[in-house]
Every structure is written in C-alpha cells, then in structure tokens.
Amino acid sequence: MVYTPRSARHGALLVGTVAVLGLLTACGNGTSGHSDAPATVSGTAAPATGGTTSPAPSATGTGTSSAPRATASSGGATATTTPAAASTRCHTSELRASVGRNDPGAGQENFPVVLTNASARTCTLHGYPGAAFVGASGGQLGPDPKRSPGTPVTVRLKPGQSAWAGLTFSNPQVSGAKTATPAALLVTPPDERDQLKVPWKGGPVPVSGNSSTVRLTVFSPGTGPS
C-alpha cells in the first residue's frame, strides 16, 4: 500500500471541484441554442402600449345622432336617413297605389310606382316596395323584380302626399327578351304583407330570356322624376 500525503489528496479534490464547476458553466452559457429571452409565438395579440385606445366605430352604420338628416323633399314630403319607427309606418290599408307615365330612355322603360297616403294621419315609407306582374287569371308573369343599388331613406307622408319608386326594364324590342302583357301590377308597401293591385297599361314586359330583369329603386318623395 502506497501512502499519499494529506496535502496531495487535498490538491486533487480542489482540481475535481473546479472541473465540475466548469462543466456546469458550459451547460448554462447558451451554447445549447436556448435563449434567456421569452419566446415569441406568431398569431398572438400585440402587447399593450399603455396608451388610451379610442372606441371603434359602430359596424352597423346607424349612427347615434338624435337629429335626422334630411336628404330630399318634394311637394312637402320629406326623406331622411333615419329608419322609420314601426309606429309611424304606412300600412297597406292606408295607401293608394298607381303607376305613372313611362319615361323611356337609352333602351330602358322607366315607370314610377306611386304610393299615396290616403289616411288621415302622417305615416312613413322606408326602403323598397315589392312588386309582381300578374295575368288576367292572377298568375304571376316572370320572376320577382330585383332591387337596384340604392340607399333606403324614410319618406314622411302627410295625408294626400306621395312617394315613388322606379320600376325599370330593358325595352324587349331592343333586348329580344320573351314578353307577356300583364293585366295588373301587384305592389306591396315596405314591411307589409298585404298588396295593392294596379291595372297595368304599360304594354308588354320581359318575362324571360336576354335582359329580362325588372328592377325596383328605393322610395323617394313625390310622384316621379321631375
């Protein structure tokens, strides 16, 4: 047995401790590819900036102004951008319907569909009418008219005042569409179910084929284009 001096054993112990500490330091100094900074995950919300954020505007576009903005007027009737209240809506029983004179142009036939307030109270119309051509037997001729792009407004009608919506289609002699001659036009006021029947005196209308679409515009004050 070889005896190792106490001082030599103490020196070897110190060298081993230093080696172990060096190995631990190497494992935690970033050489393994991991960073001390927090990871960033794509698709997460951006961090708060600490500033004040203004409320986002309403997506409905209805606005919060208490005063309606007038957009048109004719013969005393007025139109506003504010939707009509249900309590003021004109009901079918309070209205009288008619179709005005054709105002053709650029290969188009243009008829004003007029609703007149026949009641003793002031009421309102908002948006588009419904309409359908029918034959003498009452069967519908052609598909339902489509809505032309437009901004619906609320038309306020005093007793005796009128509002009109345009009914337009391409001249069948120009478009070559198949035609039929209606006996009447059924008109449904906005948000109503009951219809008003108006004798049709405008001649043949397109019911199928090329350029046979009939279109309706939103209601405006008055009885037709001036």
Side-chain angles (χ1 to χ4, degrees), residues 175-203:
S175 68
K178 295 181 180 180
T179 64
T181 300
L185 178 70
L186 301 182
V187 181
T188 309
D191 300 314
E192 292 288 300
R193 293 182 180 273
D194 295 333
Q195 300 168 327
L196 296 166
K197 189 174 183 179
V198 184
W200 179 256
K201 301 178 181 179

Side-chain angles (χ1 to χ4, degrees), residues 26-57:
C27 292
N29 65 0
T31 57
S32 62
H34 297 287
S35 172
D36 291 336
T40 301
V41 181
S42 61
T44 57
T49 61
T52 302
T53 304
S54 299

Side-chain angles (χ1 to χ4, degrees), residues 154-175:
T154 297
V155 183
R156 184 172 180 270
L157 300 177
K158 295 179 180 179
Q161 292 181 333
S162 302
W164 71 281
L167 185 148
T168 67
F169 53 84
S170 295
N171 185 315
Q173 294 182 350
V174 176
S175 68

